[in-house]
Amino acid sequence: ARGNFDLTQHSEGSGKALDYFDDATKEKYIPHCIEPSLGVDRLILALICSAYAEDEVGGEKRNFLKFHPSIAPVKVSVLPLVKNKEALVKVARELYESLSLRWNVAWDATGAVGRRYRRADEVGTPFCITVDFETIEDDAGVTIRDRDTTEQIRLPIDEVIPYLSKKIDGY
């Protein structure tokens, strides 16, 4: 980190004030600069900074990483609705394993589904798949949630990979 050295020197040399006024705190200061060396550090920092997003869902503020699906480190998170129903977990685990052959996939069976969605959003996972009781009892498919829109659709399990392939890989 370069601190505020560069801007301070430029301000002194040019005679122009480069102070920033923060309306919230009513303070003036010279911003600090982060300058990692050229390489992976700088690229990853730029990628994370450009992916960072905030919005409001259901009156609640959320912070998330809005990576394009093709570059998201984790593409899909598989979420069984409950972890103590063996038949439900079995279907979810099979789906997880088949998706893992193609992409980096996360498994999360802890806590309420809404909290699991938020955890996946925070690390930039573009899609969450929930396996629920309708999946095993009515063969009604799974719910796929889109991180960016928070919209949910139901798809038969055999259509999940083609759907995600189009969204993630573009074909």
Side-chain angles (χ1 to χ4, degrees):
R2 302 272 306 170
N4 65 2
F5 177 79
D6 292 335
L7 291 177
T8 301
Q9 295 303 308
H10 186 70
S11 181
E12 290 173 6
S14 69
K16 291 194 173 226
L18 297 175
D19 296 341
Y20 175 79
F21 182 74
D22 186 349
D23 289 327
T25 63
K26 307 293 186 214
E27 294 178 338
K28 276 188 179 181
Y29 61 91
I30 295 177
H32 287 229
C33 299
I34 298 173
E35 189 176 8
S37 62
L38 181 63
V40 175
D41 301 15
R42 182 175 285 190
L43 296 174
I44 296 299
L45 178 62
L47 185 67
I48 290 173
C49 288
S50 67
Y52 180 79
E54 295 178 347
D55 71 358
E56 197 170 298
V57 176
E60 198 175 310
K61 186 176 175 181
R62 75 173 178 147
N63 303 329
F64 63 104
L65 294 175
K66 195 173 183 175
F67 291 120
H68 186 278
S70 65
I71 63 167
V74 177
K75 311 293 189 203
V76 182
S77 188
V78 177
L79 318 171
L81 188 63
V82 294
K83 62 182 176 181
N84 58 359
K85 180 80 170 172
E86 189 176 324
L88 197 140
V89 171
K90 181 178 183 271
V91 170
R93 185 58 73 179
E94 288 171 358
L95 180 60
Y96 168 82
E97 288 171 2
S98 68
L99 294 171
S100 294
L101 296 174
R102 190 158 184 167
W103 300 292
N104 288 334
V105 181
W107 173 269
D108 191 351
T110 307
V113 172
R115 287 192 190 104
R116 290 188 260 167
Y117 285 155
R118 293 298 167 100
R119 282 195 296 261
D121 293 347
E122 288 172 353
V123 297
T125 306
F127 303 101
C128 288
I129 299 176
T130 304
V131 177
D132 56 21
F133 293 106
E134 291 178 34
T135 305
I136 58 172
E137 292 170 0
D138 303 333
D139 198 26
V142 295
T143 301
I144 300 179
R145 177 187 176 268
D146 182 278
R147 171 202 60 216
D148 299 340
T149 63
T150 69
E151 290 178 5
Q152 299 179 9
I153 61 166
R154 286 201 75 88
L155 279 180
I157 290 178
D158 60 345
E159 292 180 23
V160 170
I161 290 178
Y163 173 83
L164 291 174
S165 181
K166 186 171 183 178
K167 294 287 191 176
I168 295 168
D169 304 322
Y171 55 86

